[in-house]
Amino acid sequence: MVASAAACTVPLPLSAQQLPSNVSPNPVAGAGNLPGALVSKTAYELWMTCLIVAFGLIVICLYIYAVRHIRDKRPEDVSRAMIVVTVITGALLLIIGGYSNEQIAPAFGLFGTIIGYMLGRMSQPHPPTKETPSTEKDDPRS
């Protein structure tokens, strides 16, 4: 059994892919990769990221405060704007954080999918409301 498995292996020069020359080892579990990611950013990127997070939180808090006083609010109306603000803040974080186009393109695709789904699902027609009959007679101008 072992001999047949060894016979099926392909020698390196005949393989279709080449091994990369600069392979970095996997990080040790619990090695603390987050501080390394924060240190690799410039001070400008770090402060801009903090400002974007603070701005997003302030906008969300103001929205929640404003929505509290609306009568007849539906959950869809509240969640639609909340999701849009959150996705815009997340997109700004990715842009300001110094990531390349290749790194943020999948995230933007996901953000667009979320926004499209939420806005499309919530724009369905509302149930008909009772309308009061008009008491006006036919308009003489027509």
Side-chain angles (χ1 to χ4, degrees), residues 100-139:
S100 68
N101 288 340
E102 290 81 21
Q103 292 171 323
I104 63 175
F108 282 157
L110 180 63
F111 288 163
T113 303
I114 292 170
I115 293 290
Y117 172 74
M118 293 305 294
L119 295 179
R121 182 177 66 94
M122 292 180 186
S123 65
Q124 295 174 351
H126 301 99
T129 59
K130 293 182 180 179
E131 295 183 18
T132 58
S134 178
T135 57
E136 298 178 17
K137 302 269 182 177
D138 290 331
D139 191 11

Side-chain angles (χ1 to χ4, degrees), residues 4-73:
S4 65
C8 292
T9 59
V10 178
L12 273 178
L14 299 177
S15 65
Q17 293 181 330
Q18 297 176 352
L19 293 176
S21 60
N22 55 356
V23 177
S24 60
N26 289 336
V28 179
N33 294 329
L34 183 59
L38 292 176
V39 172
S40 68
K41 303 295 179 195
T42 64
Y44 176 74
E45 290 172 343
L46 184 64
W47 282 110
M48 286 300 290
T49 303
C50 292
L51 285 175
I52 294 297
V53 168
F55 175 74
L57 290 175
I58 289 170
V59 169
I60 288 173
C61 290
L62 288 173
Y63 178 70
I64 290 172
Y65 179 75
V67 166
R68 287 182 19 199
H69 303 293
I70 296 176
R71 291 185 184 181
D72 301 329
K73 61 181 174 267

